Amino acid sequence: FYDDVELPEEKRAALVQAATLALNAGDEVAVMMIHRLAETNGWGSDLQPALNLARARLSIDSTNFLAGSAAERLLRGEDLYAAGLYGQARQVLDSLYEVHLALGQAEKLRLALVYARVLDQVEGVDAAVRALRTIAATLEAQESRTKIYLLAAELYEAHERFDEAVDAYGGTL
């Protein structure tokens, strides 16, 4: 597909998709080769999360991809989500979700927002809203809970579940 498109943005997207497919297929070496091609075009940073995961799976890096502080894992999960690597993002974020009570309020909100989007992609809207509901109950600021409700409503709307979207807009999950 990369050779079939002409626009640079389409070529970049093709490489990101190829890296995602290679990761999902367990072909870490292909991810490294795709990253090398992306680097020659100046898009290496777009494939960096995929490369990091591939290198960790191959034990090339001394650091474990799933290790690090909560802040590092949250940022890594956000980067993986942004790169469209939903399965890998979930791996990183699952462990944070399990200990979300130990996170600060701002980190809980960030986790809720990205984790729900990831879950929506890999499991569906019901799993996403369950996670939002769980974390919303631990948030102190009404403004933070409102952001949770708005995301839940958006997810419901995207799945054409409008009655539930209305409830979410009203603050009920």
Side-chain angles (χ1 to χ4, degrees):
F1 182 71
Y2 175 83
D3 291 328
D4 296 336
V5 295
E6 293 186 25
L7 295 175
E9 182 57 31
E10 291 175 330
K11 286 187 178 288
R12 186 201 61 77
L15 291 175
V16 170
Q17 181 65 22
T20 301
L21 292 172
L23 276 175
N24 291 339
D27 192 351
E28 288 78 16
V29 174
V31 173
M32 294 170 69
M33 294 171 65
I34 293 165
H35 180 265
R36 176 72 49 111
L37 178 60
E39 277 186 320
T40 63
N41 291 298
W43 305 316
S45 63
D46 292 336
L47 277 79
Q48 193 64 47
L51 176 67
N52 291 344
L53 182 57
R55 291 176 61 87
R57 285 181 181 174
L58 293 170
S59 300
I60 293 173
D61 294 328
S62 59
T63 58
N64 184 333
F65 185 71
L66 299 176
S69 70
E72 291 169 334
R73 288 181 289 154
L74 182 55
L75 182 59
R76 190 175 305 129
E78 290 168 335
D79 288 344
L80 288 166
Y81 170 76
L85 302 171
Y86 307 122
Q88 292 76 23
R90 181 173 185 191
Q91 288 177 352
V92 172
L93 297 171
D94 275 345
S95 64
L96 281 177
Y97 180 72
E98 292 173 9
V99 297
H100 70 271
L101 292 174
L103 300 175
Q105 292 292 302
E107 289 80 16
K108 281 184 200 178
L109 177 59
R110 284 177 52 207
L111 173 63
L113 298 177
V114 70
Y115 192 55
R117 289 181 174 107
V118 167
L119 287 175
D120 183 49
Q121 293 294 320
V122 297
E123 279 192 42
V125 68
D126 292 324
V129 172
R130 272 193 305 275
L132 288 173
R133 184 181 302 118
T134 299
I135 294 178
T138 70
L139 294 173
E140 297 168 3
Q142 180 61 42
E143 180 181 329
S144 295
R145 288 191 302 275
T146 298
K147 290 178 181 180
I148 299 275
Y149 302 143
L150 291 175
L151 176 58
E154 290 172 21
L155 295 175
Y156 278 135
E157 284 181 353
H159 292 276
E160 298 182 3
R161 292 171 59 175
F162 301 113
D163 291 340
E164 291 159 301
V166 169
D167 290 342
Y169 279 125
T172 302
L173 296 181

